[in-house]
Amino acid sequence: MKKLKTLIFLVTIICLLKCKSNTHQKTENKTSKITATINGTWKSVGYGRIVNITDEVVSLYDVNNISCLPSEEFPREAAEQFLSLKLKNENTLKVKMGITTYDFVRLEKMPKNCTPLSETEKNDPLFNFESLWQTFNEHYSYFKERNIDWNAMKSKYKSKLSSESSPLELYVVLRDMLKEMKDGHVGIPLPEEIAEEYVAYKKSETQSNPKKQRRKINFDEFKFEQFGKYVSDYKTYNYGILNWGLINEDVMFLQINGMMGFAHYNLGDDPEKAEALYEQYAEESDNQTQDEVDGAAYIMDTIFPELAKTKACIIDLRFNGGGTDEVALKILSYFTKEETTVFSKKAYIKEGEYTTANVIRISPAKKVFNGDLYILTSPLSASATEIFVLSSLKATPNAIRVGSNTEGIFSDILDKQLPNGWSYGLSNEIYESMDGVNYENIGIPAHHHIEYNRESGYKFVSKLQDQKKDEAVEKVLELVKEN
């Protein structure tokens, strides 16, 4: 998924401060002038962020109507990222990060409630509940689309807590409330300090409810097995993030299992060490998102000579839960014949009011596939994967989709923190096709529909695992023959 990824605003603000990036090495005097202008307090338009900048320190805050919570603080000299920055005037700042432009307005001073909390306040279960509820109340985009009465949810779940509730009890209440929203970009990760206690609680919870017990599936093995039904001699990149090979001389099969994990790092030959190595290199990178995009370009360039000889390409996104929009767009560019406007995105401010829409374009790669494109989708095709599918509506209008509707979660995750330090995330952005359609909670439909189970990914995968032939792939092969 897109998230829960590194705080996008933290990265944005780090980038904001990098006035001597490769793209901004003007004269020393101009750099100094911009640096002086940036100092002060800035509030984001939407997103609920405040940033206070001095020559020495950068402080980031999560803010809503009842709380202003310090999120991160770090030395200014540590801000060594690059950016695209446009200072519209003394009080308005635009920062471009990835495909998104964020607006900031200057404040005269820090808000009054941005003062340190006592330990009692930080750990008060009711205050933590209220802080989370208020953030959703101010920033969540999809109450209507998901048929959620947020005030009723507050009444239902706050009554389960008191000022004496334990951290585990608070976590379970917040977990259960957010689960009701049925939004894959909404959630609260398990805090480390209660992990052991929660595991024991979860075990007893599962044992007491047989419906929660699931057939065990090794998803990594399953993906290889499913792909191997049609391509016996296949190749793999980064231990399965992408598998490829020929079904026959006319049809290339690409199974893309994530939109993150593409960076071309030296991971060695030991699969058990690969994940740790990848995380290490990503942590050390100056720009990990660019590493991901460059890695996607590397592997697509590697595949392309073989791909170019075929008449049709199947891209299987059915087990792809997302990652980074930029990776999705980079891969799609190898199938895009001309520069195209593909979608827009905006953030919720309040009822009927949104940030200025970012309109996103895609340009063709240097090498573009000219054959027929088939895209396989399922309820597990989510987040950045849906950005691939959404963009394909305009970028590759002749592509044929086979499978079911995608999951229907498009927004970047807005990462936030509770007073007690726990992190959580929500959807605050609206993505729309160039025809003005918002597919949130609906998903993008297929041309040839297959009834995959939308309620349980396990049931969907289990059924697929038990089938000797893959209905979606068989449908594509039938369509290829007809053409």
Side-chain angles (χ1 to χ4, degrees):
M1 65 170 63
K2 289 182 193 172
K3 319 122 142 173
L4 295 180
K5 63 185 181 184
T6 304
L7 288 174
I8 192 166
F9 264 81
L10 174 58
V11 176
T12 300
I13 297 309
I14 292 175
C15 290
L16 180 155
L17 298 167
K18 176 55 181 166
C19 296
K20 290 188 178 181
S21 69
N22 294 335
T23 56
H24 290 272
Q25 288 182 349
K26 305 293 185 182
T27 66
E28 184 176 347
N29 288 340
K30 185 165 185 179
T31 300
S32 299
K33 182 178 179 181
I34 292 174
T35 301
T37 306
I38 287 173
N39 281 7
T41 303
W42 298 88
K43 183 176 182 180
S44 61
V45 179
Y47 299 92
R49 304 289 191 197
I50 286 179
V51 179
N52 191 55
I53 303 168
T54 70
D55 287 337
E56 294 79 27
V57 176
V58 178
S59 303
L60 181 66
Y61 296 78
D62 286 330
V63 60
N64 59 40
N65 283 340
I66 67 166
S67 64
C68 177
L69 307 171
S71 176
E72 298 283 345
E73 183 173 286
F74 47 91
R76 180 157 181 164
E77 61 268 21
E80 294 296 331
Q81 304 286 332
F82 40 89
L83 75 160
S84 174
L85 178 151
K86 182 178 179 181
L87 199 60
K88 191 172 181 180
N89 55 52
E90 287 291 315
N91 297 312
T92 307
L93 186 68
K94 289 184 177 292
V95 179
K96 186 172 183 181
M97 177 69 181
I99 64 172
T100 307
T101 299
Y102 302 93
D103 293 327
F104 292 82
V105 294
R106 189 185 293 278
L107 300 179
E108 292 185 4
K109 57 184 179 180
M110 289 289 289
K112 290 181 180 180
N113 62 339
C114 290
T115 55
L117 298 173
S118 68
E119 288 301 310
T120 300
E121 290 172 316
K122 287 180 183 179
N123 295 304
D124 182 354
L126 296 177
F127 182 52
N128 277 274
F129 181 96
E130 286 283 355
S131 180
L132 180 144
W133 186 91
Q134 190 62 39
T135 296
F136 274 82
N137 196 49
E138 294 178 24
H139 295 288
Y140 188 68
S141 301
Y142 296 115
F143 290 126
K144 180 179 179 181
E145 287 78 1
R146 295 185 179 275
N147 194 28
I148 297 166
D149 184 334
W150 194 231
N151 287 308
M153 293 273 273
K154 181 178 183 179
S155 299
K156 176 180 177 180
Y157 283 98
K158 189 177 179 181
S159 64
K160 299 175 183 288
L161 294 170
S162 73
S163 58
E164 303 301 319
S165 296
S166 69
L168 177 63
E169 290 169 331
L170 172 63
Y171 177 77
V172 171
V173 166
L174 296 178
R175 178 204 68 173
D176 290 348
M177 181 171 72
L178 298 184
K179 271 187 178 181
E180 276 206 46
M181 302 179 78
K182 296 182 179 179
D183 181 337
H185 280 165
V186 165
I188 180 165
L190 178 62
E192 186 176 347
E193 63 265 30
I194 63 169
E196 187 175 338
E197 188 180 4
Y198 180 76
V199 169
Y201 168 82
K202 186 72 174 175
K203 185 177 180 180
S204 63
E205 185 184 43
T206 303
Q207 289 174 341
S208 63
N209 187 350
K211 290 184 179 180
K212 293 191 175 185
Q213 297 181 28
R214 293 168 171 162
R215 167 183 174 182
K216 290 184 179 180
I217 297 173
N218 185 316
F219 277 89
D220 291 332
E221 289 184 4
F222 163 75
K223 293 168 189 175
F224 285 113
E225 290 171 2
Q226 193 68 16
F227 190 73
K229 289 179 180 179
Y230 290 89
V231 184
S232 57
D233 184 21
Y234 63 82
K235 300 173 185 176
T236 188
Y237 177 66
N238 277 5
Y239 296 100
I241 199 66
L242 188 152
N243 301 316
W244 79 96
L246 295 174
I247 292 180
N248 56 52
E249 63 181 11
D250 291 332
V251 182
M252 169 67 78
F253 195 5
L254 304 182
Q255 185 191 64
I256 304 175
N257 294 317
M259 294 300 178
M260 184 172 282
F262 278 86
H264 188 48
Y265 299 142
N266 181 15
L267 302 180
D269 299 323
D270 187 346
E272 293 183 2
K273 295 181 180 179
E275 184 175 353
L277 278 172
Y278 198 96
E279 291 178 0
Q280 176 187 331
Y281 289 131
E283 178 104 10
E284 294 170 353
S285 173
D286 290 332
N287 189 343
Q288 203 246 328
T289 296
Q290 190 60 49
D291 292 348
E292 296 284 346
V293 173
D294 292 344
Y298 164 80
I299 192 56
M300 289 304 298
D301 287 340
T302 300
I303 294 169
F304 199 84
E306 194 174 11
L307 172 64
K309 298 175 183 178
T310 63
K311 297 178 181 179
C313 179
I314 302 172
I315 296 183
D316 190 351
L317 302 176
R318 289 175 297 171
F319 321 111
N320 190 325
T324 302
D325 290 353
E326 289 84 354
V327 167
L329 293 174
K330 173 55 70 174
I331 295 172
L332 184 62
S333 72
Y334 284 80
F335 302 88
T336 301
K337 294 180 174 60
E338 60 185 18
E339 186 175 359
T340 309
T341 303
V342 287
F343 65 89
S344 68
K345 58 179 292 192
K346 58 189 177 183
Y348 180 86
I349 297 177
K350 61 183 180 181
E351 186 66 32
E353 186 175 339
Y354 305 90
T355 60
T356 302
N358 287 267
V359 179
I360 310 303
R361 299 179 66 81
I362 186 172
S363 298
K366 292 180 181 179
K367 306 170 185 177
V368 174
F369 179 65
N370 290 311
D372 297 326
L373 178 62
Y374 299 87
I375 302 171
L376 309 187
T377 60
S378 82
L380 300 184
S381 305
S383 194
T385 305
E386 295 182 277
I387 303 312
F388 181 102
V389 182
L390 179 66
S391 300
S392 76
L393 302 182
K394 287 294 185 182
T396 58
N398 294 323
I400 301 298
R401 298 183 302 281
V402 178
S404 76
N405 287 36
T406 60
E407 182 173 347
I409 53 169
F410 292 82
S411 173
D412 287 334
I413 290 179
L414 179 59
D415 293 304
K416 290 289 185 177
Q417 284 192 352
L418 291 176
N420 65 9
W422 296 353
S423 63
Y424 62 99
L426 62 147
S427 304
N428 75 313
E429 293 175 327
I430 295 172
Y431 282 64
E432 292 180 330
S433 72
M434 297 317 299
D435 298 324
V437 180
N438 175 7
Y439 290 99
E440 184 76 18
N441 197 38
I442 302 169
I444 301 170
H447 296 100
H448 298 275
H449 182 76
I450 296 174
E451 196 63 42
Y452 292 143
N453 191 302
R454 292 193 67 81
E455 295 300 317
S456 170
Y458 283 86
K459 288 182 180 179
F460 156 58
V461 169
S462 295
K463 183 177 180 181
L464 212 58
Q465 191 177 43
D466 293 338
Q467 294 175 344
K468 290 183 178 180
K469 290 189 176 182
D470 188 318
E471 186 178 354
V473 178
E474 292 295 326
K475 181 63 182 179
V476 171
L477 295 178
E478 177 187 319
L479 294 170
V480 170
K481 283 183 180 180
E482 291 175 359
N483 290 338

